[in-house]
Amino acid sequence: MGITVSPPVKPSVDHLMDAPLQQLVDELHVTLDESSITEPGFTGYAYVTRDRVVVSLPPNRSELEHDCIARYLIGTAFQVDGLPPLPEPFQVSDMTADVNRAHRNQADEALRRVQGGAA
């Protein structure tokens, strides 16, 4: 991901993969959330703000898929060194640039309205 947060201690790939998921979530102050997206090909997403990481996963997935995807998304958010790629058919898309571009466009439009006298 393009944006990162600084955890108290950046986890190693071994800790990321071996620690109980709830322990990892607690240590890194990650919020696990249930997504409303239930499409069969959707496996989840993570977003990072200045002060938190939220991992949102679809409901009704196997415990194994939930655990593996949560760990991968947490590792990606914290830029864990040595994180192996997901196997096929999984794909990860980093939308940071798209979101930042959309925010810049909104800010530019708001500034144009203010400068033009429109509210």
Side-chain angles (χ1 to χ4, degrees):
M1 300 186 76
I3 303 172
T4 60
V5 295
S6 297
V9 175
K10 185 176 182 176
S12 68
V13 72
D14 290 337
H15 186 64
L16 178 71
M17 297 301 171
D18 295 337
L21 182 59
Q22 190 58 55
Q23 176 186 334
L24 196 61
V25 165
D26 292 343
E27 288 174 356
L28 299 174
H29 310 288
V30 171
T31 301
L32 280 181
D33 192 16
E34 187 174 283
S35 174
S36 61
I37 303 170
T38 58
E39 312 280 323
F42 174 74
T43 55
Y45 63 88
Y47 68 89
V48 180
T49 67
R50 287 189 181 108
D51 58 352
R52 68 183 187 146
V53 172
V54 175
V55 173
S56 189
L57 303 166
N60 304 320
R61 300 297 165 91
S62 73
E63 185 176 336
L64 178 62
E65 181 180 350
H66 182 273
D67 186 85
C68 290
I69 297 299
R71 289 173 190 278
Y72 185 81
L73 292 173
I74 291 168
T76 300
F78 286 99
Q79 296 184 338
V80 171
D81 297 326
L83 185 67
L86 287 173
E88 290 290 330
F90 295 101
Q91 288 184 317
V92 175
S93 299
D94 184 344
M95 300 180 69
T96 304
D98 295 337
V99 170
N100 289 341
R101 187 173 23 264
H103 285 196
R104 277 193 308 276
N105 290 343
Q106 289 173 347
D108 290 347
E109 179 59 29
L111 182 59
R112 277 193 290 275
R113 280 189 261 147
V114 168
Q115 289 174 337

PDB file of all heavy atoms in Angstrom, residues 64-78:
ATOM      1  N   LEU A  64     -10.062 -20.498   7.303  1.00  0.00           N
ATOM      2  CA  LEU A  64      -8.733 -20.458   6.702  1.00  0.00           C
ATOM      3  C   LEU A  64      -8.574 -19.245   5.797  1.00  0.00           C
ATOM      4  O   LEU A  64      -7.579 -18.521   5.882  1.00  0.00           O
ATOM      5  CB  LEU A  64      -8.464 -21.749   5.914  1.00  0.00           C
ATOM      6  CG  LEU A  64      -7.114 -21.811   5.195  1.00  0.00           C
ATOM      7  CD1 LEU A  64      -5.960 -21.749   6.184  1.00  0.00           C
ATOM      8  CD2 LEU A  64      -7.031 -23.063   4.340  1.00  0.00           C
ATOM      9  N   GLU A  65      -9.557 -18.989   4.915  1.00  0.00           N
ATOM     10  CA  GLU A  65      -9.470 -17.832   4.026  1.00  0.00           C
ATOM     11  C   GLU A  65      -9.460 -16.537   4.830  1.00  0.00           C
ATOM     12  O   GLU A  65      -8.664 -15.635   4.569  1.00  0.00           O
ATOM     13  CB  GLU A  65     -10.618 -17.805   3.026  1.00  0.00           C
ATOM     14  CG  GLU A  65     -10.537 -16.631   2.074  1.00  0.00           C
ATOM     15  CD  GLU A  65     -11.666 -16.569   1.058  1.00  0.00           C
ATOM     16  OE1 GLU A  65     -12.443 -17.523   0.936  1.00  0.00           O
ATOM     17  OE2 GLU A  65     -11.747 -15.531   0.389  1.00  0.00           O
ATOM     18  N   HIS A  66     -10.328 -16.440   5.824  1.00  0.00           N
ATOM     19  CA  HIS A  66     -10.399 -15.252   6.673  1.00  0.00           C
ATOM     20  C   HIS A  66      -9.046 -14.991   7.319  1.00  0.00           C
ATOM     21  O   HIS A  66      -8.520 -13.874   7.281  1.00  0.00           O
ATOM     22  CB  HIS A  66     -11.492 -15.450   7.734  1.00  0.00           C
ATOM     23  CG  HIS A  66     -11.683 -14.287   8.637  1.00  0.00           C
ATOM     24  ND1 HIS A  66     -10.946 -14.121   9.793  1.00  0.00           N
ATOM     25  CD2 HIS A  66     -12.519 -13.234   8.565  1.00  0.00           C
ATOM     26  CE1 HIS A  66     -11.324 -13.010  10.393  1.00  0.00           C
ATOM     27  NE2 HIS A  66     -12.280 -12.457   9.673  1.00  0.00           N
ATOM     28  N   ASP A  67      -8.451 -16.023   7.908  1.00  0.00           N
ATOM     29  CA  ASP A  67      -7.184 -15.894   8.604  1.00  0.00           C
ATOM     30  C   ASP A  67      -6.057 -15.509   7.639  1.00  0.00           C
ATOM     31  O   ASP A  67      -5.304 -14.570   7.906  1.00  0.00           O
ATOM     32  CB  ASP A  67      -6.849 -17.220   9.302  1.00  0.00           C
ATOM     33  CG  ASP A  67      -5.623 -17.110  10.170  1.00  0.00           C
ATOM     34  OD1 ASP A  67      -5.765 -16.678  11.332  1.00  0.00           O
ATOM     35  OD2 ASP A  67      -4.521 -17.454   9.688  1.00  0.00           O
ATOM     36  N   CYS A  68      -5.958 -16.202   6.528  1.00  0.00           N
ATOM     37  CA  CYS A  68      -4.869 -15.952   5.570  1.00  0.00           C
ATOM     38  C   CYS A  68      -4.952 -14.556   4.959  1.00  0.00           C
ATOM     39  O   CYS A  68      -3.951 -13.838   4.876  1.00  0.00           O
ATOM     40  CB  CYS A  68      -4.882 -16.995   4.457  1.00  0.00           C
ATOM     41  SG  CYS A  68      -4.402 -18.633   5.016  1.00  0.00           S
ATOM     42  N   ILE A  69      -6.147 -14.159   4.535  1.00  0.00           N
ATOM     43  CA  ILE A  69      -6.307 -12.848   3.899  1.00  0.00           C
ATOM     44  C   ILE A  69      -6.099 -11.736   4.914  1.00  0.00           C
ATOM     45  O   ILE A  69      -5.458 -10.721   4.620  1.00  0.00           O
ATOM     46  CB  ILE A  69      -7.674 -12.732   3.197  1.00  0.00           C
ATOM     47  CG1 ILE A  69      -7.782 -13.761   2.068  1.00  0.00           C
ATOM     48  CG2 ILE A  69      -7.903 -11.321   2.682  1.00  0.00           C
ATOM     49  CD1 ILE A  69      -6.742 -13.617   0.962  1.00  0.00           C
ATOM     50  N   ALA A  70      -6.604 -11.909   6.132  1.00  0.00           N
ATOM     51  CA  ALA A  70      -6.396 -10.891   7.170  1.00  0.00           C
ATOM     52  C   ALA A  70      -4.901 -10.691   7.413  1.00  0.00           C
ATOM     53  O   ALA A  70      -4.411  -9.554   7.455  1.00  0.00           O
ATOM     54  CB  ALA A  70      -7.098 -11.292   8.463  1.00  0.00           C
ATOM     55  N   ARG A  71      -4.162 -11.778   7.550  1.00  0.00           N
ATOM     56  CA  ARG A  71      -2.719 -11.676   7.784  1.00  0.00           C
ATOM     57  C   ARG A  71      -2.011 -11.005   6.606  1.00  0.00           C
ATOM     58  O   ARG A  71      -1.122 -10.175   6.793  1.00  0.00           O
ATOM     59  CB  ARG A  71      -2.113 -13.060   8.021  1.00  0.00           C
ATOM     60  CG  ARG A  71      -2.508 -13.663   9.339  1.00  0.00           C
ATOM     61  CD  ARG A  71      -2.015 -15.105   9.461  1.00  0.00           C
ATOM     62  NE  ARG A  71      -2.603 -15.734  10.608  1.00  0.00           N
ATOM     63  CZ  ARG A  71      -2.154 -15.601  11.859  1.00  0.00           C
ATOM     64  NH1 ARG A  71      -1.097 -14.849  12.090  1.00  0.00           N
ATOM     65  NH2 ARG A  71      -2.756 -16.208  12.852  1.00  0.00           N
ATOM     66  N   TYR A  72      -2.401 -11.378   5.399  1.00  0.00           N
ATOM     67  CA  TYR A  72      -1.762 -10.792   4.228  1.00  0.00           C
ATOM     68  C   TYR A  72      -2.020  -9.288   4.156  1.00  0.00           C
ATOM     69  O   TYR A  72      -1.108  -8.505   3.916  1.00  0.00           O
ATOM     70  CB  TYR A  72      -2.227 -11.471   2.944  1.00  0.00           C
ATOM     71  CG  TYR A  72      -1.466 -10.942   1.762  1.00  0.00           C
ATOM     72  CD1 TYR A  72      -0.205 -11.428   1.467  1.00  0.00           C
ATOM     73  CD2 TYR A  72      -1.982  -9.917   0.986  1.00  0.00           C
ATOM     74  CE1 TYR A  72       0.534 -10.907   0.409  1.00  0.00           C
ATOM     75  CE2 TYR A  72      -1.255  -9.390  -0.069  1.00  0.00           C
ATOM     76  CZ  TYR A  72      -0.002  -9.892  -0.355  1.00  0.00           C
ATOM     77  OH  TYR A  72       0.726  -9.361  -1.387  1.00  0.00           O
ATOM     78  N   LEU A  73      -3.269  -8.881   4.381  1.00  0.00           N
ATOM     79  CA  LEU A  73      -3.604  -7.460   4.315  1.00  0.00           C
ATOM     80  C   LEU A  73      -2.924  -6.673   5.432  1.00  0.00           C
ATOM     81  O   LEU A  73      -2.474  -5.541   5.218  1.00  0.00           O
ATOM     82  CB  LEU A  73      -5.118  -7.267   4.331  1.00  0.00           C
ATOM     83  CG  LEU A  73      -5.843  -7.775   3.078  1.00  0.00           C
ATOM     84  CD1 LEU A  73      -7.354  -7.696   3.263  1.00  0.00           C
ATOM     85  CD2 LEU A  73      -5.404  -7.006   1.839  1.00  0.00           C
ATOM     86  N   ILE A  74      -2.822  -7.266   6.612  1.00  0.00           N
ATOM     87  CA  ILE A  74      -2.099  -6.610   7.707  1.00  0.00           C
ATOM     88  C   ILE A  74      -0.628  -6.465   7.328  1.00  0.00           C
ATOM     89  O   ILE A  74      -0.030  -5.402   7.492  1.00  0.00           O
ATOM     90  CB  ILE A  74      -2.268  -7.402   9.029  1.00  0.00           C
ATOM     91  CG1 ILE A  74      -3.710  -7.296   9.528  1.00  0.00           C
ATOM     92  CG2 ILE A  74      -1.283  -6.894  10.081  1.00  0.00           C
ATOM     93  CD1 ILE A  74      -4.059  -8.258  10.657  1.00  0.00           C
ATOM     94  N   GLY A  75      -0.047  -7.526   6.805  1.00  0.00           N
ATOM     95  CA  GLY A  75       1.351  -7.476   6.381  1.00  0.00           C
ATOM     96  C   GLY A  75       1.600  -6.441   5.310  1.00  0.00           C
ATOM     97  O   GLY A  75       2.615  -5.733   5.332  1.00  0.00           O
ATOM     98  N   THR A  76       0.678  -6.319   4.378  1.00  0.00           N
ATOM     99  CA  THR A  76       0.796  -5.324   3.319  1.00  0.00           C
ATOM    100  C   THR A  76       0.701  -3.915   3.899  1.00  0.00           C
ATOM    101  O   THR A  76       1.494  -3.037   3.552  1.00  0.00           O
ATOM    102  CB  THR A  76      -0.290  -5.541   2.256  1.00  0.00           C
ATOM    103  OG1 THR A  76      -0.132  -6.849   1.699  1.00  0.00           O
ATOM    104  CG2 THR A  76      -0.181  -4.532   1.137  1.00  0.00           C
ATOM    105  N   ALA A  77      -0.250  -3.700   4.788  1.00  0.00           N
ATOM    106  CA  ALA A  77      -0.440  -2.372   5.383  1.00  0.00           C
ATOM    107  C   ALA A  77       0.795  -1.928   6.162  1.00  0.00           C
ATOM    108  O   ALA A  77       1.156  -0.749   6.135  1.00  0.00           O
ATOM    109  CB  ALA A  77      -1.669  -2.369   6.287  1.00  0.00           C
ATOM    110  N   PHE A  78       1.451  -2.869   6.838  1.00  0.00           N
ATOM    111  CA  PHE A  78       2.624  -2.537   7.638  1.00  0.00           C
ATOM    112  C   PHE A  78       3.934  -2.762   6.881  1.00  0.00           C
ATOM    113  O   PHE A  78       5.009  -2.670   7.455  1.00  0.00           O
ATOM    114  CB  PHE A  78       2.622  -3.333   8.944  1.00  0.00           C
ATOM    115  CG  PHE A  78       1.607  -2.821   9.934  1.00  0.00           C
ATOM    116  CD1 PHE A  78       0.387  -3.451  10.074  1.00  0.00           C
ATOM    117  CD2 PHE A  78       1.867  -1.699  10.692  1.00  0.00           C
ATOM    118  CE1 PHE A  78      -0.555  -2.983  10.979  1.00  0.00           C
ATOM    119  CE2 PHE A  78       0.930  -1.222  11.596  1.00  0.00           C
ATOM    120  CZ  PHE A  78      -0.282  -1.861  11.737  1.00  0.00           C
TER     121      PHE A  78
END
